[in-house]
Amino acid sequence: MIISSRLYMLAFLLFSVITCHATHKNNYEIDQLLSEWIRETNDIKDSYNHLNNPIYFRLTAISNELLVKEATVEKKISLLIEKDLLKEQLQQNKISEINDISKIRYLKGLQIIKILYGKTLALDHHFATVSTLNEINKISNPNNYQEFSNIKEFIAKKSEKKQGFDLSEILGTNIYTSIIHSFVSLFTNSAATKQEKDSSIRNIECILDFTLRMHNDLNTIYFETVFLKKSNENMMQEIEKLFTDYTKPIDYKKSLKDCRDMDDWDAVRDQLNSYLEKMEAAISSKPSDSKVQRMRIDLEFPIDRLLQYITQYNAFIDQGSKFYEKFGIMLDSYENEQQCSSKIPPEYNTLKKGVTIAIEKFNTAYKPVEINGSKMKEVLYGINEYE
């Protein structure tokens, strides 16, 4: 029996165990970041409400004073001027509040991008490990088993050249033509005794049963894993493009890969601080100017795209989890596992364990980010529907 794939499968299991803890921690960090995002946003809103309440109270008092008939013209003009100034202060406070919330959203979003990119990289390594297991195709082909090779050698020695025929190299490695040719050659060979034929069949019956039953399932697992790997590569491209759009307003030039490889996150923060200083200067001089509005929108738009990406990520993880649950069902479907336990290749059981670990990882380490329903509303709009 061929066992070269065992090293690949053991590597797959080892990688799964090593990365599971780290990725699970990352998932916790994202949930924590989202909670902090909501809490800090609410703290800012509470702070500005506390700042604005006395202004609203004074505006109410001014309105009441303006209704007093005995007030002089000078008094009324003074009150109207004060009223306009207070309204301007409220407007400036509102703009400052929006921009403070934008800062929080941007910084938390940047941290989430960093973690999600790490997750997609871990998934890429995971799928790369599995997809190198094109060796799993070998354990579903009897031509790769020593016992079956022995039968073919036995047939070749006993064959009658005038009556027999040889398969081409292509057909000789094909699971179906090879089995048919071997059976036909064995049973029509008059040089082999009945006992030799019976013994040959007993030696390979479990191998043939396993390979014929599991051939399609194992190939399905391989090709669908390749599909998942390709989908994850698309997710990586999406988040790399998202990072480019995300950092474009603050004039950061490096790619996400370079930023991560060089651990250049402090430089991103420095660029953000410079951008925020320009925004604060613009707010101080002309709080309602269109330039301030554009600068804020430039920060807000990629953050909204990040939330869209999280939705895509969640859908992909759900899909991957369902695929691996299906793989588990397929691998558990071999009916004669107990009867043929001594002949089943160890790679098969290793693969089963690997799929079980992968299912656990999709449910824990890679699980969808909890940002649906009320939490999504709070992150997007600062609305808590339970208040």
Side-chain angles (χ1 to χ4, degrees), residues 5 135-141 145 210-211 218 345 347-348:
S5 59
E135 297 286 333
I136 69 176
N137 296 322
K138 293 183 179 179
I139 69 174
S140 66
N141 191 329
Y145 290 73
F210 172 77
T211 53
L218 289 170
E347 293 87 352
Y348 171 73

Side-chain angles (χ1 to χ4, degrees), residues 100-136:
D100 286 347
I101 291 174
S102 294
K103 297 174 197 176
I104 295 298
R105 297 182 77 201
Y106 192 93
L107 289 171
K108 297 300 181 187
L110 185 66
Q111 291 174 278
I112 290 173
I113 287 175
K114 180 181 179 181
I115 294 174
L116 284 178
Y117 187 57
K119 282 175 174 283
T120 57
L121 286 175
L123 276 167
D124 187 61
H125 292 311
H126 165 79
F127 290 129
T129 305
V130 177
S131 65
T132 59
L133 302 181
N134 52 8
E135 297 286 333
I136 69 176

